[in-house]
């Protein structure tokens, strides 16, 4: 009987995978909880979910607008609690329903995964978009071509090839995704050395050396807009900019960690060392 009790107790303990090659993805959103995310809407204080636009329902993270809700330049973003520098990101999303009344034409079926965002605590009260790199998500209208996983640069510039790219947006080479189908998008982010947007295993957008600058945002605090400063890390957010959308999952593989092969938590896929995280 004693042996049975010991075995039963032992079997209930979580077993950590010590395989150095096994990828350990973090679920930023798993369909059950939004407590690790913080909203910020233009004109509203940090932490207030203005008009309940970010919704957790039916195991989905959604953006919704009621029928009487009219656009008033009140763009919103939902920020994950932790910042990252080197990582892989993947998300499953779908556009649904109709745009908010009065929303701008460019925002139809338009959302984004905002990468390397400034600290949400530094966002100005009236600021429309965070200083960030937008992995732009677009849905098709059923007829015309409209790529997704594009790049937009609110408050940032990037280098494409050998050239500094200063316009606000550039299209990827992805196909168009019409209707309400689920779409999976991925990103590879390596500090300020390389960012790739990926669809169906294909790199559809690639750039390097992101820096602060370029405009295309308003209402920011001057202390946060350090023109020319490299963007090596930051927070991740999703948008509420008049298009209803659902996210089924958002996952991240941290590529920054203990790179000492003698440590218990060493992983062979890490590309940036974090010696302070090593466990022996």
């Amino acid at each position: 009987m004693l042996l049975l009790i010991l075995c039963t107790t032992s079997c209930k303990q979580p077993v950590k995978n010590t395989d150095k090659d096994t990828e350990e993805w973090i679920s930023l959103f798993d369909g059950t909880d939004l407590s690790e995310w913080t909203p910020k809407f233009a004109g509203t204080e940090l932490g207030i979910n203005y008009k309940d636009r970010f919704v957790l329902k039916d195991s989905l993270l959604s953006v919704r607008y009621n029928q009487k809700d009219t656009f008033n330049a009140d763009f919103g973003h939902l920020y994950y609690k932790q910042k990252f520098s080197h990582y892989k990101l993947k998300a499953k999303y779908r556009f649904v329903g109709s745009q908010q009344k009065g929303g701008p034409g460019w925002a139809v079926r338009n959302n984004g995964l905002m990468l390397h965002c400034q600290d949400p605590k530094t966002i100005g009260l009236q600021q429309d978009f965070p200083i960030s790199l937008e992995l732009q998500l677009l849905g098709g209208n059923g007829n015309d071509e409209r790529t997704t996983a594009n790049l937009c640069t609110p408050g940032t510039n990037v280098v494409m090839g050998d050239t500094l790219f200063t316009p606000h947006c550039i299209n990827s080479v992805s196909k168009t995704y019409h209707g309400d189908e689920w779409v999976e998008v991925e990103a590879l982010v390596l500090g300020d050395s390389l960012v790739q947007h990926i669809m169906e295993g294909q790199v559809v957008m690639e750039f390097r050396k992101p820096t602060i600058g370029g405009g295309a945002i308003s209402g920011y605090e001057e202390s946060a807009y350090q023109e020319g400063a490299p963007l090596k890390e930051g927070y991740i957010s999703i948008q509420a900019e008049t298009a209803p959308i659902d996210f089924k999952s958002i996952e991240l593989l941290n590529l920054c960690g203990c790179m000492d092969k003698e440590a218990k938590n060493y992983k062979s896929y890490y590309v940036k060392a974090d010696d302070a995280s090593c466990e022996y």
Side-chain angles (χ1 to χ4, degrees):
M1 180 63 70
L2 179 59
L3 290 176
L4 177 60
I5 292 173
L6 289 175
C7 180
T8 302
T9 302
S10 176
C11 291
K12 289 182 179 179
Q13 302 305 311
V15 178
K16 182 175 177 60
N17 193 326
T18 57
D19 183 347
K20 63 182 178 62
D21 300 320
T22 300
E23 295 184 342
E24 294 185 354
W25 287 79
I26 304 168
S27 181
L28 306 189
F29 173 70
D30 63 2
T32 63
D33 190 14
L34 289 182
S35 63
E36 296 182 331
W37 294 79
T38 301
K40 173 67 179 77
F41 285 83
T44 304
E45 296 289 346
L46 178 68
I48 297 175
N49 188 11
Y50 182 65
K51 295 188 177 181
D52 296 321
R53 288 178 177 170
F54 291 112
V55 180
L56 174 60
K57 185 178 180 181
D58 298 329
S59 299
L60 301 175
L61 194 175
S62 303
V63 176
R64 292 291 187 269
Y65 301 88
N66 64 54
Q67 291 184 351
K68 297 181 180 180
D69 199 359
T70 301
F71 176 66
N72 189 31
D74 42 12
F75 294 114
H77 296 80
L78 187 66
Y79 297 85
Y80 187 67
K81 66 177 183 179
Q82 180 180 349
K83 62 182 178 181
F84 301 95
S85 64
H86 294 65
Y87 58 90
K88 292 180 181 178
L89 181 70
K90 59 184 177 182
K92 292 181 180 178
Y93 70 93
R94 68 178 179 187
F95 287 101
V96 295
S98 301
Q99 184 184 23
Q100 178 192 22
K101 186 185 303 181
W106 54 261
V108 173
R109 294 203 159 213
N110 184 336
N111 200 282
L113 292 164
M114 317 298 281
L115 313 179
H116 280 357
C117 292
Q118 68 185 100
D119 188 329
K121 294 178 182 178
T122 69
I123 299 285
L125 179 63
Q126 301 296 336
Q127 189 170 337
D128 48 5
F129 303 101
I131 298 169
S132 59
L133 306 167
E134 179 182 355
L135 194 172
Q136 186 188 49
L137 308 177
L138 295 180
N141 62 13
N143 296 303
D144 303 312
E145 291 186 3
R146 196 184 193 210
T147 59
T148 190
N150 304 319
L151 169 67
C152 291
T153 54
T156 54
N157 294 315
V158 302
V159 172
M160 307 196 76
D162 296 323
T163 304
L164 181 67
F165 180 81
T166 57
H168 180 46
C169 294
I170 184 171
N171 288 345
S172 75
V173 295
S174 85
K175 72 179 188 181
T176 301
Y177 295 85
H178 295 292
D180 297 351
E181 66 175 300
W182 286 105
V183 179
E184 183 169 273
V185 61
E186 300 178 62
L188 172 65
V189 182
L190 301 178
D192 66 342
S193 63
L194 175 67
V195 180
Q196 294 178 334
H197 300 172
I198 302 164
M199 300 296 300
E200 299 182 14
Q202 176 189 3
V203 176
V204 298
M205 170 65 63
E206 178 176 298
F207 56 92
R208 304 171 188 274
K209 298 180 180 178
T211 54
I212 296 176
I217 57 171
S218 63
Y220 57 85
E221 300 290 342
E222 291 291 341
S223 58
Y225 195 86
Q226 300 175 11
E227 190 159 359
L231 276 182
K232 297 184 177 183
E233 62 180 9
Y235 293 81
I236 294 169
S237 72
I238 65 171
Q239 295 185 314
E241 55 176 11
T242 76
I245 192 173
D246 295 328
F247 287 91
K248 182 184 292 185
S249 62
I250 305 175
E251 299 175 278
L252 182 141
L253 180 67
N254 200 346
L255 301 179
C256 179
C258 179
M259 296 183 69
D260 183 348
K261 294 182 179 180
E262 301 302 318
K264 295 178 181 178
N265 56 337
Y266 163 76
K267 286 291 185 179
S268 61
Y269 56 80
Y270 288 148
V271 299
K272 181 177 174 58
D274 178 11
D275 295 338
S277 69
C278 291
E279 300 173 2
Y280 298 95

